[in-house]
Amino acid sequence: MPRLPRSVQAVYLRPLKRKAEYGVPACDLQLRSYSVRNVEFYADFALRAAYYLNLPAVGPVPLPRITERWTVPRSNFIHKKSQENFERITLRRLVQIQDGHPDTVEIWLAFLRKHAYHGVGMKANVWGYEPLGVGKTMDVSLENLKRVLEPKWAHFGRKKNSDTSEKVMEMLNSDRFGDMNDGPFRHAPEGRV
């Protein structure tokens, strides 16, 4: 019997993991499914993808199950004693990426979204870190943002001035508007709309 290639042999082994140097969390990926097989398979896939992108990963850590139960009558109101119970159990696994570069983590998440597995939901919490003195750069960027947005905000909202109210009264008192309406606005006091 011929020996299988290393890449095929690796499928039957646990996924390889890289060691985290500092242990600073970069991303928490939570996988949810109603099927144990699906969530375990996809967690394995996510760990293998992290290994080949040089991301140190921890997991899959089993999280507590979410159990939901419902009781429903089997028939209409007269048969209240005949009821049926339903239960749905959501299984969860956590994969944590540590010491990962934000761009690499985004590539990893995009790869997982592209190759999403049926019946498995994903929720990712991504952390970003800034150097010291970030407050000063935020103040400068806020001033630049105000300068850019000021002309655009000028177009929003109503401008209240006397020209507008005069034009409205002129339109309401016009003969054309009076023909359509018997003219209750014709006798409105000046300046009142």
Side-chain angles (χ1 to χ4, degrees):
M1 184 169 154
R3 193 173 142 269
L4 294 172
R6 288 240 186 252
S7 59
V8 176
Q9 287 178 358
V11 173
Y12 296 100
L13 304 173
R14 277 186 288 161
L16 298 171
K17 295 180 187 176
R18 301 194 185 274
K19 294 277 184 196
E21 189 175 346
Y22 303 107
V24 178
C27 175
D28 276 353
L29 178 69
Q30 190 180 113
L31 305 172
R32 294 179 175 207
S33 179
Y34 304 125
S35 167
V36 178
R37 254 178 113 177
N38 291 358
V39 77
E40 286 292 337
F41 173 79
Y42 201 67
D44 185 81
F45 177 75
L47 286 174
R48 290 175 194 272
Y51 175 78
Y52 287 111
L53 284 171
N54 292 329
L55 291 171
V58 177
V61 178
L63 297 174
R65 297 175 176 192
I66 300 172
T67 306
E68 298 165 286
R69 292 186 180 98
W70 298 275
T71 302
V72 181
R74 288 184 197 212
S75 184
N76 44 2
F77 74 101
I78 201 163
H79 303 288
K80 172 75 171 127
K81 291 184 180 177
S82 176
Q83 293 184 348
E84 201 167 357
N85 296 317
F86 294 98
E87 180 178 71
R88 182 169 67 186
I89 297 172
T90 307
L91 305 161
R92 301 183 295 168
R93 298 290 184 269
L94 176 72
V95 176
Q96 186 180 60
I97 301 295
Q98 298 177 343
D99 301 341
H101 191 274
D103 296 339
T104 313
V105 171
E106 288 298 322
I107 290 170
W108 179 66
L109 289 172
F111 180 75
L112 292 180
R113 272 195 303 269
K114 181 180 178 186
H115 299 287
Y117 195 66
H118 64 86
V120 179
M122 293 182 284
K123 183 175 88 172
N125 293 331
V126 181
W127 287 281
Y129 298 96
E130 294 288 334
L132 292 175
V134 70
K136 292 179 183 176
T137 57
M138 286 175 70
D139 290 342
V140 171
S141 64
L142 178 67
E143 292 301 321
N144 293 338
L145 189 64
K146 279 184 182 177
R147 198 174 320 113
V148 169
L149 288 179
E150 205 56 48
K152 294 181 181 177
W153 281 111
H155 298 298
F156 287 105
R158 286 193 316 197
K159 295 180 181 175
K160 295 180 181 177
N161 56 22
S162 60
D163 296 341
T164 308
S165 61
E166 289 173 8
K167 286 181 184 177
V168 169
M169 285 307 296
E170 182 182 318
M171 222 169 47
L172 291 174
N173 291 328
S174 70
D175 293 333
R176 188 171 180 190
F177 188 78
D179 292 343
M180 292 189 308
N181 193 355
D182 281 339
F185 295 107
R186 288 181 178 272
H187 307 293
E190 286 294 321
R192 188 170 170 206
V193 179

